[in-house]
Amino acid sequence: MKIALNIVIIFFLLLSVQAQEYATVIYKAKLLDAEFLKNNSSKNKEANEFVKNLLLESADFLKQSNFELKIINNEANFSIVNSLAGSNEYVSKFAYAIINADGLIYTNLQTKQVLHQMVAFDNPVILVSTLDEQQWNYTNETKEISGYTCFKAKLKDERSNITAWYSPKITLPFGPAGYGGLPGLILELEVQNEFSPYIYYVTTINIKSDNKIEISKPNKGKLVTKEQLDEMGEKAKSSFYLCKGNN
């Protein structure tokens, strides 16, 4: 009887181990406006030269950058994989900020919480949002990405129009830069905004059966909402113009 009970316990333990989901997904990012700025002479004349050059440098910098999505069951981290030695620190910070990849992003499916740990206006903060804020509109449009049939979903917020291509075959409802909640892994994510549209695209998907992955929950910085972060930005802008006026 004891042997039979032990067999049952081992069976359920094996089932629970098999139910664990571990994955690492590597993405690259690309600024969609960079080639337009480079090739369109009329746009170049009108554009601020400093911003134009910064965007072009950022586009070149991002070609060398990789981003990793680590998943364990209901939790995920999204962060930069490689910190490029010898790169221009100002360009790297700018590049990562405009594609929403600066710092560490943590997502929890159970609590639906998204935490983005970053340095904003010289202050360490943790931006708090939820997956419920991502009100996706589903479509029947499909395309093939890396051998997977992906479906299109769209999302609109106050600043951007976002298009996600997700694969129901990969039942991991996560994606780059804190986006997720879809019925499958996001393999491509396009963000259209007024400043600098960009796209994330997958290069490697590794579904694992071991637990050699660690997930970190952000704990460095003051918890802030999007509204509070915007207020910090306005104060920083006002201080900048005040200092500039006094010089």
Side-chain angles (χ1 to χ4, degrees):
M1 181 70 180
K2 187 176 180 180
I3 294 174
L5 181 60
N6 286 338
I7 291 172
V8 171
I9 291 171
I10 291 169
F11 174 76
F12 279 103
L13 283 173
L14 287 172
L15 282 180
S16 66
V17 168
Q18 290 174 351
Q20 303 292 305
E21 293 183 294
Y22 306 99
T24 56
V25 185
I26 303 298
Y27 295 90
K28 292 192 77 68
K30 179 180 179 181
L31 299 186
L32 298 178
D33 252 5
E35 288 303 313
F36 183 72
L37 279 170
K38 187 182 294 182
N39 299 324
N40 190 301
S41 58
S42 62
K43 176 79 173 184
N44 287 349
K45 290 176 183 177
E46 297 171 5
N48 179 288
E49 201 67 20
F50 173 76
V51 174
K52 183 196 77 173
N53 289 333
L54 190 54
L55 284 170
L56 290 174
E57 287 183 59
S58 297
D60 287 337
F61 176 80
L62 288 174
K63 290 176 183 177
Q64 309 169 62
S65 301
N66 293 300
F67 306 88
E68 183 179 46
L69 176 67
K70 297 190 295 184
I71 302 167
I72 301 180
N73 299 325
N74 292 313
E75 296 178 288
N77 275 155
F78 181 79
S79 61
I80 304 155
V81 176
N82 52 327
S83 180
L84 302 175
S87 59
N88 185 314
E89 186 179 359
Y90 187 78
V91 171
S92 64
K93 286 183 177 179
F94 181 81
Y96 292 144
I98 59 179
I99 62 169
N100 200 35
D102 49 331
L104 174 70
I105 300 176
Y106 167 84
T107 304
N108 188 309
L109 291 180
Q110 287 188 326
T111 63
K112 297 188 176 181
Q113 192 175 51
V114 181
L115 302 176
H116 186 173
Q117 179 176 285
M118 67 180 107
V119 176
F121 316 108
D122 295 325
N123 295 300
V125 298
I126 299 173
L127 176 62
V128 181
S129 61
T130 69
L131 288 173
D132 286 338
E133 296 172 33
Q134 300 178 22
Q135 296 293 314
W136 294 100
N137 294 310
Y138 298 91
T139 75
N140 292 322
E141 189 175 343
T142 64
K143 72 173 180 178
E144 291 289 316
I145 301 175
S146 299
Y148 294 94
T149 299
C150 295
F151 287 82
K152 182 179 182 179
K154 303 180 79 174
L155 168 67
K156 185 173 183 178
D157 62 23
E158 57 189 28
R159 294 189 180 93
S160 308
N161 290 310
I162 299 107
T163 300
W165 293 92
Y166 66 94
S167 171
K169 288 285 186 182
I170 310 174
T171 56
L172 301 169
F174 296 99
Y179 289 98
L182 290 166
L185 180 70
I186 297 174
L187 272 62
E188 184 176 291
L189 182 86
E190 181 177 327
V191 179
Q192 289 286 343
N193 56 38
E194 291 183 359
F195 181 65
S196 182
Y198 58 90
I199 187 170
Y200 279 104
Y201 56 96
V202 73
T203 60
T204 306
I205 302 169
N206 188 7
I207 309 296
K208 301 184 176 184
S209 58
D210 58 60
N211 61 349
K212 294 179 180 178
I213 301 174
E214 292 185 0
I215 300 294
S216 301
K217 186 173 181 179
N219 58 10
K220 297 177 182 177
K222 177 184 177 182
L223 296 176
V224 296
T225 62
K226 289 180 181 177
E227 293 74 20
Q228 290 171 324
L229 191 62
D230 287 341
E231 287 176 13
M232 290 173 65
E234 289 301 319
K235 288 179 181 178
K237 189 190 298 183
S238 298
S239 298
F240 172 78
Y241 286 122
L242 182 63
C243 291
K244 191 175 180 181
N246 290 333
N247 290 335

